[in-house]
PDB file of all heavy atoms in Angstrom:
ATOM      1  N   VAL A 107      69.473 192.711  84.175  1.00  0.00           N
ATOM      2  CA  VAL A 107      69.175 193.629  85.241  1.00  0.00           C
ATOM      3  C   VAL A 107      69.871 193.103  86.494  1.00  0.00           C
ATOM      4  O   VAL A 107      69.621 191.959  86.912  1.00  0.00           O
ATOM      5  CB  VAL A 107      67.659 193.753  85.455  1.00  0.00           C
ATOM      6  CG1 VAL A 107      67.382 194.731  86.660  1.00  0.00           C
ATOM      7  CG2 VAL A 107      66.953 194.251  84.206  1.00  0.00           C
ATOM      8  N   TYR A 108      70.711 193.940  87.126  1.00  0.00           N
ATOM      9  CA  TYR A 108      71.525 193.432  88.215  1.00  0.00           C
ATOM     10  C   TYR A 108      71.665 194.457  89.337  1.00  0.00           C
ATOM     11  O   TYR A 108      71.405 195.646  89.164  1.00  0.00           O
ATOM     12  CB  TYR A 108      72.921 193.030  87.703  1.00  0.00           C
ATOM     13  CG  TYR A 108      73.749 194.183  87.159  1.00  0.00           C
ATOM     14  CD1 TYR A 108      74.718 194.785  87.970  1.00  0.00           C
ATOM     15  CD2 TYR A 108      73.534 194.692  85.881  1.00  0.00           C
ATOM     16  CE1 TYR A 108      75.466 195.865  87.487  1.00  0.00           C
ATOM     17  CE2 TYR A 108      74.280 195.748  85.397  1.00  0.00           C
ATOM     18  CZ  TYR A 108      75.251 196.317  86.214  1.00  0.00           C
ATOM     19  OH  TYR A 108      75.986 197.380  85.728  1.00  0.00           O
ATOM     20  N   ASP A 109      72.086 193.954  90.496  1.00  0.00           N
ATOM     21  CA  ASP A 109      72.335 194.787  91.669  1.00  0.00           C
ATOM     22  C   ASP A 109      73.843 195.099  91.688  1.00  0.00           C
ATOM     23  O   ASP A 109      74.646 194.204  91.955  1.00  0.00           O
ATOM     24  CB  ASP A 109      71.946 194.042  92.950  1.00  0.00           C
ATOM     25  CG  ASP A 109      72.098 194.871  94.209  1.00  0.00           C
ATOM     26  OD1 ASP A 109      72.808 195.896  94.160  1.00  0.00           O
ATOM     27  OD2 ASP A 109      71.504 194.483  95.251  1.00  0.00           O
ATOM     28  N   PRO A 110      74.240 196.328  91.417  1.00  0.00           N
ATOM     29  CA  PRO A 110      75.654 196.674  91.340  1.00  0.00           C
ATOM     30  C   PRO A 110      76.373 196.557  92.661  1.00  0.00           C
ATOM     31  O   PRO A 110      77.619 196.586  92.717  1.00  0.00           O
ATOM     32  CB  PRO A 110      75.650 198.113  90.818  1.00  0.00           C
ATOM     33  CG  PRO A 110      74.341 198.669  91.268  1.00  0.00           C
ATOM     34  CD  PRO A 110      73.368 197.502  91.149  1.00  0.00           C
ATOM     35  N   ARG A 111      75.647 196.418  93.776  1.00  0.00           N
ATOM     36  CA  ARG A 111      76.289 196.212  95.073  1.00  0.00           C
ATOM     37  C   ARG A 111      76.648 194.764  95.288  1.00  0.00           C
ATOM     38  O   ARG A 111      77.430 194.450  96.196  1.00  0.00           O
ATOM     39  CB  ARG A 111      75.332 196.681  96.180  1.00  0.00           C
ATOM     40  CG  ARG A 111      75.038 198.193  96.173  1.00  0.00           C
ATOM     41  CD  ARG A 111      73.900 198.544  97.089  1.00  0.00           C
ATOM     42  NE  ARG A 111      72.648 197.910  96.665  1.00  0.00           N
ATOM     43  CZ  ARG A 111      71.484 198.035  97.284  1.00  0.00           C
ATOM     44  NH1 ARG A 111      71.403 198.793  98.359  1.00  0.00           N
ATOM     45  NH2 ARG A 111      70.413 197.455  96.821  1.00  0.00           N
ATOM     46  N   LYS A 112      76.109 193.876  94.430  1.00  0.00           N
ATOM     47  CA  LYS A 112      76.449 192.452  94.566  1.00  0.00           C
ATOM     48  C   LYS A 112      77.295 191.934  93.404  1.00  0.00           C
ATOM     49  O   LYS A 112      78.085 190.989  93.581  1.00  0.00           O
ATOM     50  CB  LYS A 112      75.137 191.650  94.643  1.00  0.00           C
ATOM     51  CG  LYS A 112      74.290 191.950  95.866  1.00  0.00           C
ATOM     52  CD  LYS A 112      73.027 191.110  95.899  1.00  0.00           C
ATOM     53  CE  LYS A 112      72.207 191.404  97.156  1.00  0.00           C
ATOM     54  NZ  LYS A 112      70.959 190.597  97.196  1.00  0.00           N
ATOM     55  N   VAL A 113      77.124 192.506  92.244  1.00  0.00           N
ATOM     56  CA  VAL A 113      77.927 192.120  91.094  1.00  0.00           C
ATOM     57  C   VAL A 113      78.149 193.349  90.250  1.00  0.00           C
ATOM     58  O   VAL A 113      77.219 194.117  89.976  1.00  0.00           O
ATOM     59  CB  VAL A 113      77.265 190.965  90.278  1.00  0.00           C
ATOM     60  CG1 VAL A 113      75.933 191.414  89.700  1.00  0.00           C
ATOM     61  CG2 VAL A 113      78.184 190.522  89.154  1.00  0.00           C
ATOM     62  N   SER A 114      79.406 193.579  89.829  1.00  0.00           N
ATOM     63  CA  SER A 114      79.697 194.804  89.105  1.00  0.00           C
ATOM     64  C   SER A 114      79.544 194.624  87.598  1.00  0.00           C
ATOM     65  O   SER A 114      79.542 193.492  87.100  1.00  0.00           O
ATOM     66  CB  SER A 114      81.127 195.271  89.426  1.00  0.00           C
ATOM     67  OG  SER A 114      82.060 194.386  88.802  1.00  0.00           O
ATOM     68  N   TYR A 115      79.464 195.742  86.897  1.00  0.00           N
ATOM     69  CA  TYR A 115      79.419 195.714  85.431  1.00  0.00           C
ATOM     70  C   TYR A 115      80.676 195.057  84.876  1.00  0.00           C
ATOM     71  O   TYR A 115      80.633 194.235  83.958  1.00  0.00           O
ATOM     72  CB  TYR A 115      79.267 197.112  84.904  1.00  0.00           C
ATOM     73  CG  TYR A 115      79.168 197.230  83.402  1.00  0.00           C
ATOM     74  CD1 TYR A 115      77.990 196.765  82.763  1.00  0.00           C
ATOM     75  CD2 TYR A 115      80.161 197.751  82.612  1.00  0.00           C
ATOM     76  CE1 TYR A 115      77.848 196.850  81.380  1.00  0.00           C
ATOM     77  CE2 TYR A 115      80.026 197.840  81.232  1.00  0.00           C
ATOM     78  CZ  TYR A 115      78.893 197.414  80.617  1.00  0.00           C
ATOM     79  OH  TYR A 115      78.748 197.498  79.269  1.00  0.00           O
ATOM     80  N   GLY A 116      81.817 195.371  85.474  1.00  0.00           N
ATOM     81  CA  GLY A 116      83.077 194.765  85.043  1.00  0.00           C
ATOM     82  C   GLY A 116      83.084 193.267  85.202  1.00  0.00           C
ATOM     83  O   GLY A 116      83.615 192.529  84.378  1.00  0.00           O
ATOM     84  N   THR A 117      82.490 192.769  86.299  1.00  0.00           N
ATOM     85  CA  THR A 117      82.422 191.325  86.495  1.00  0.00           C
ATOM     86  C   THR A 117      81.539 190.688  85.449  1.00  0.00           C
ATOM     87  O   THR A 117      81.870 189.594  84.979  1.00  0.00           O
ATOM     88  CB  THR A 117      81.871 191.020  87.921  1.00  0.00           C
ATOM     89  OG1 THR A 117      82.803 191.548  88.890  1.00  0.00           O
ATOM     90  CG2 THR A 117      81.742 189.521  88.148  1.00  0.00           C
ATOM     91  N   LEU A 118      80.439 191.340  85.121  1.00  0.00           N
ATOM     92  CA  LEU A 118      79.580 190.787  84.067  1.00  0.00           C
ATOM     93  C   LEU A 118      80.343 190.737  82.733  1.00  0.00           C
ATOM     94  O   LEU A 118      80.209 189.743  81.986  1.00  0.00           O
ATOM     95  CB  LEU A 118      78.338 191.654  83.903  1.00  0.00           C
ATOM     96  CG  LEU A 118      77.359 191.663  85.083  1.00  0.00           C
ATOM     97  CD1 LEU A 118      76.185 192.616  84.804  1.00  0.00           C
ATOM     98  CD2 LEU A 118      76.855 190.276  85.422  1.00  0.00           C
ATOM     99  N   LEU A 119      81.134 191.738  82.461  1.00  0.00           N
ATOM    100  CA  LEU A 119      81.944 191.705  81.245  1.00  0.00           C
ATOM    101  C   LEU A 119      82.971 190.569  81.283  1.00  0.00           C
ATOM    102  O   LEU A 119      83.257 189.947  80.268  1.00  0.00           O
ATOM    103  CB  LEU A 119      82.647 193.040  81.034  1.00  0.00           C
ATOM    104  CG  LEU A 119      81.765 194.254  80.712  1.00  0.00           C
ATOM    105  CD1 LEU A 119      82.642 195.494  80.453  1.00  0.00           C
ATOM    106  CD2 LEU A 119      80.913 193.973  79.480  1.00  0.00           C
ATOM    107  N   ARG A 120      83.556 190.361  82.448  1.00  0.00           N
ATOM    108  CA  ARG A 120      84.525 189.273  82.574  1.00  0.00           C
ATOM    109  C   ARG A 120      83.863 187.934  82.237  1.00  0.00           C
ATOM    110  O   ARG A 120      84.454 187.114  81.519  1.00  0.00           O
ATOM    111  CB  ARG A 120      85.096 189.245  83.993  1.00  0.00           C
ATOM    112  CG  ARG A 120      86.285 188.315  84.166  1.00  0.00           C
ATOM    113  CD  ARG A 120      86.763 188.318  85.591  1.00  0.00           C
ATOM    114  NE  ARG A 120      87.995 187.527  85.707  1.00  0.00           N
ATOM    115  CZ  ARG A 120      88.470 187.051  86.860  1.00  0.00           C
ATOM    116  NH1 ARG A 120      87.799 187.288  87.984  1.00  0.00           N
ATOM    117  NH2 ARG A 120      89.567 186.336  86.898  1.00  0.00           N
ATOM    118  N   ILE A 121      82.676 187.712  82.742  1.00  0.00           N
ATOM    119  CA  ILE A 121      81.947 186.471  82.439  1.00  0.00           C
ATOM    120  C   ILE A 121      81.587 186.422  80.969  1.00  0.00           C
ATOM    121  O   ILE A 121      81.699 185.369  80.318  1.00  0.00           O
ATOM    122  CB  ILE A 121      80.686 186.403  83.323  1.00  0.00           C
ATOM    123  CG1 ILE A 121      81.046 186.270  84.797  1.00  0.00           C
ATOM    124  CG2 ILE A 121      79.803 185.241  82.896  1.00  0.00           C
ATOM    125  CD1 ILE A 121      79.910 186.494  85.763  1.00  0.00           C
ATOM    126  N   TYR A 122      81.164 187.551  80.432  1.00  0.00           N
ATOM    127  CA  TYR A 122      80.808 187.637  79.020  1.00  0.00           C
ATOM    128  C   TYR A 122      81.937 187.222  78.116  1.00  0.00           C
ATOM    129  O   TYR A 122      81.782 186.423  77.179  1.00  0.00           O
ATOM    130  CB  TYR A 122      80.408 189.094  78.750  1.00  0.00           C
ATOM    131  CG  TYR A 122      80.262 189.511  77.312  1.00  0.00           C
ATOM    132  CD1 TYR A 122      79.177 189.091  76.550  1.00  0.00           C
ATOM    133  CD2 TYR A 122      81.176 190.349  76.715  1.00  0.00           C
ATOM    134  CE1 TYR A 122      78.990 189.519  75.245  1.00  0.00           C
ATOM    135  CE2 TYR A 122      81.042 190.785  75.382  1.00  0.00           C
ATOM    136  CZ  TYR A 122      79.938 190.348  74.655  1.00  0.00           C
ATOM    137  OH  TYR A 122      79.781 190.794  73.356  1.00  0.00           O
ATOM    138  N   PHE A 123      83.141 187.680  78.426  1.00  0.00           N
ATOM    139  CA  PHE A 123      84.313 187.382  77.563  1.00  0.00           C
ATOM    140  C   PHE A 123      84.876 185.961  77.842  1.00  0.00           C
ATOM    141  O   PHE A 123      85.376 185.313  76.919  1.00  0.00           O
ATOM    142  CB  PHE A 123      85.413 188.414  77.773  1.00  0.00           C
ATOM    143  CG  PHE A 123      85.188 189.694  77.034  1.00  0.00           C
ATOM    144  CD1 PHE A 123      84.788 190.841  77.695  1.00  0.00           C
ATOM    145  CD2 PHE A 123      85.339 189.737  75.644  1.00  0.00           C
ATOM    146  CE1 PHE A 123      84.562 192.026  76.999  1.00  0.00           C
ATOM    147  CE2 PHE A 123      85.123 190.925  74.943  1.00  0.00           C
ATOM    148  CZ  PHE A 123      84.720 192.076  75.639  1.00  0.00           C
ATOM    149  N   SER A 124      84.776 185.480  79.044  1.00  0.00           N
ATOM    150  CA  SER A 124      85.460 184.223  79.379  1.00  0.00           C
ATOM    151  C   SER A 124      84.619 182.978  79.156  1.00  0.00           C
ATOM    152  O   SER A 124      85.188 181.930  78.833  1.00  0.00           O
ATOM    153  CB  SER A 124      85.953 184.260  80.838  1.00  0.00           C
ATOM    154  OG  SER A 124      84.904 184.273  81.754  1.00  0.00           O
ATOM    155  N   VAL A 125      83.291 183.083  79.345  1.00  0.00           N
ATOM    156  CA  VAL A 125      82.472 181.864  79.199  1.00  0.00           C
ATOM    157  C   VAL A 125      81.234 181.994  78.353  1.00  0.00           C
ATOM    158  O   VAL A 125      80.719 181.047  77.803  1.00  0.00           O
ATOM    159  CB  VAL A 125      82.088 181.281  80.561  1.00  0.00           C
ATOM    160  CG1 VAL A 125      83.291 180.913  81.395  1.00  0.00           C
ATOM    161  CG2 VAL A 125      81.186 182.256  81.352  1.00  0.00           C
ATOM    162  N   ALA A 126      80.691 183.226  78.279  1.00  0.00           N
ATOM    163  CA  ALA A 126      79.359 183.385  77.610  1.00  0.00           C
ATOM    164  C   ALA A 126      79.444 183.266  76.115  1.00  0.00           C
ATOM    165  O   ALA A 126      78.455 182.897  75.456  1.00  0.00           O
ATOM    166  CB  ALA A 126      78.720 184.725  78.000  1.00  0.00           C
ATOM    167  N   HIS A 127      80.604 183.613  75.526  1.00  0.00           N
ATOM    168  CA  HIS A 127      80.742 183.520  74.082  1.00  0.00           C
ATOM    169  C   HIS A 127      82.215 183.630  73.691  1.00  0.00           C
ATOM    170  O   HIS A 127      83.095 183.840  74.562  1.00  0.00           O
ATOM    171  CB  HIS A 127      79.940 184.601  73.361  1.00  0.00           C
ATOM    172  CG  HIS A 127      80.590 185.940  73.260  1.00  0.00           C
ATOM    173  ND1 HIS A 127      81.139 186.616  74.326  1.00  0.00           N
ATOM    174  CD2 HIS A 127      80.822 186.724  72.175  1.00  0.00           C
ATOM    175  CE1 HIS A 127      81.659 187.741  73.943  1.00  0.00           C
ATOM    176  NE2 HIS A 127      81.481 187.837  72.655  1.00  0.00           N
ATOM    177  N   ASP A 128      82.525 183.471  72.423  1.00  0.00           N
ATOM    178  CA  ASP A 128      83.882 183.623  71.910  1.00  0.00           C
ATOM    179  C   ASP A 128      84.004 184.973  71.209  1.00  0.00           C
ATOM    180  O   ASP A 128      83.450 185.163  70.110  1.00  0.00           O
ATOM    181  CB  ASP A 128      84.223 182.493  70.969  1.00  0.00           C
ATOM    182  CG  ASP A 128      85.631 182.567  70.396  1.00  0.00           C
ATOM    183  OD1 ASP A 128      86.302 183.594  70.595  1.00  0.00           O
ATOM    184  OD2 ASP A 128      86.076 181.575  69.775  1.00  0.00           O
ATOM    185  N   PRO A 129      84.679 185.962  71.822  1.00  0.00           N
ATOM    186  CA  PRO A 129      84.745 187.300  71.234  1.00  0.00           C
ATOM    187  C   PRO A 129      85.658 187.439  70.027  1.00  0.00           C
ATOM    188  O   PRO A 129      85.825 188.534  69.498  1.00  0.00           O
ATOM    189  CB  PRO A 129      85.251 188.153  72.408  1.00  0.00           C
ATOM    190  CG  PRO A 129      86.137 187.198  73.146  1.00  0.00           C
ATOM    191  CD  PRO A 129      85.412 185.887  73.084  1.00  0.00           C
ATOM    192  N   THR A 130      86.208 186.329  69.579  1.00  0.00           N
ATOM    193  CA  THR A 130      87.106 186.404  68.383  1.00  0.00           C
ATOM    194  C   THR A 130      86.399 185.919  67.126  1.00  0.00           C
ATOM    195  O   THR A 130      87.016 185.979  66.049  1.00  0.00           O
ATOM    196  CB  THR A 130      88.359 185.545  68.601  1.00  0.00           C
ATOM    197  OG1 THR A 130      88.037 184.142  68.591  1.00  0.00           O
ATOM    198  CG2 THR A 130      89.064 185.878  69.910  1.00  0.00           C
ATOM    199  N   GLN A 131      85.157 185.494  67.208  1.00  0.00           N
ATOM    200  CA  GLN A 131      84.436 185.035  66.043  1.00  0.00           C
ATOM    201  C   GLN A 131      83.651 186.194  65.446  1.00  0.00           C
ATOM    202  O   GLN A 131      82.785 186.793  66.119  1.00  0.00           O
ATOM    203  CB  GLN A 131      83.476 183.893  66.408  1.00  0.00           C
ATOM    204  CG  GLN A 131      84.221 182.634  66.866  1.00  0.00           C
ATOM    205  CD  GLN A 131      83.306 181.440  66.952  1.00  0.00           C
ATOM    206  OE1 GLN A 131      82.460 181.225  66.085  1.00  0.00           O
ATOM    207  NE2 GLN A 131      83.515 180.594  67.949  1.00  0.00           N
ATOM    208  N   LEU A 132      83.925 186.522  64.193  1.00  0.00           N
ATOM    209  CA  LEU A 132      83.283 187.666  63.523  1.00  0.00           C
ATOM    210  C   LEU A 132      81.967 187.251  62.888  1.00  0.00           C
ATOM    211  O   LEU A 132      81.922 186.366  62.022  1.00  0.00           O
ATOM    212  CB  LEU A 132      84.231 188.219  62.477  1.00  0.00           C
ATOM    213  CG  LEU A 132      83.733 189.452  61.706  1.00  0.00           C
ATOM    214  CD1 LEU A 132      83.549 190.632  62.647  1.00  0.00           C
ATOM    215  CD2 LEU A 132      84.709 189.810  60.577  1.00  0.00           C
ATOM    216  N   ASN A 133      80.890 187.914  63.301  1.00  0.00           N
ATOM    217  CA  ASN A 133      79.569 187.685  62.734  1.00  0.00           C
ATOM    218  C   ASN A 133      79.164 186.211  62.754  1.00  0.00           C
ATOM    219  O   ASN A 133      78.569 185.701  61.818  1.00  0.00           O
ATOM    220  CB  ASN A 133      79.490 188.229  61.322  1.00  0.00           C
ATOM    221  CG  ASN A 133      79.553 189.734  61.295  1.00  0.00           C
ATOM    222  OD1 ASN A 133      79.180 190.423  62.261  1.00  0.00           O
ATOM    223  ND2 ASN A 133      80.011 190.279  60.190  1.00  0.00           N
ATOM    224  N   ARG A 134      79.484 185.573  63.827  1.00  0.00           N
ATOM    225  CA  ARG A 134      79.084 184.150  64.018  1.00  0.00           C
ATOM    226  C   ARG A 134      79.404 183.735  65.448  1.00  0.00           C
ATOM    227  O   ARG A 134      80.163 184.373  66.162  1.00  0.00           O
ATOM    228  CB  ARG A 134      79.816 183.245  63.055  1.00  0.00           C
ATOM    229  CG  ARG A 134      81.315 183.101  63.292  1.00  0.00           C
ATOM    230  CD  ARG A 134      81.925 182.009  62.417  1.00  0.00           C
ATOM    231  NE  ARG A 134      81.317 180.711  62.728  1.00  0.00           N
ATOM    232  CZ  ARG A 134      81.196 179.738  61.812  1.00  0.00           C
ATOM    233  NH1 ARG A 134      81.633 179.930  60.578  1.00  0.00           N
ATOM    234  NH2 ARG A 134      80.640 178.607  62.155  1.00  0.00           N
TER     235      ARG A 134
END
Side-chain angles (χ1 to χ4, degrees):
V107 179
Y108 65 99
D109 184 344
R111 295 168 297 180
K112 296 181 179 180
V113 61
S114 72
Y115 183 70
T117 297
L118 294 178
L119 291 183
R120 190 182 186 198
I121 295 168
Y122 169 74
F123 281 105
S124 66
V125 300
H127 84 307
D128 181 348
T130 70
Q131 295 193 39
L132 182 63
N133 292 334
R134 68 171 299 150

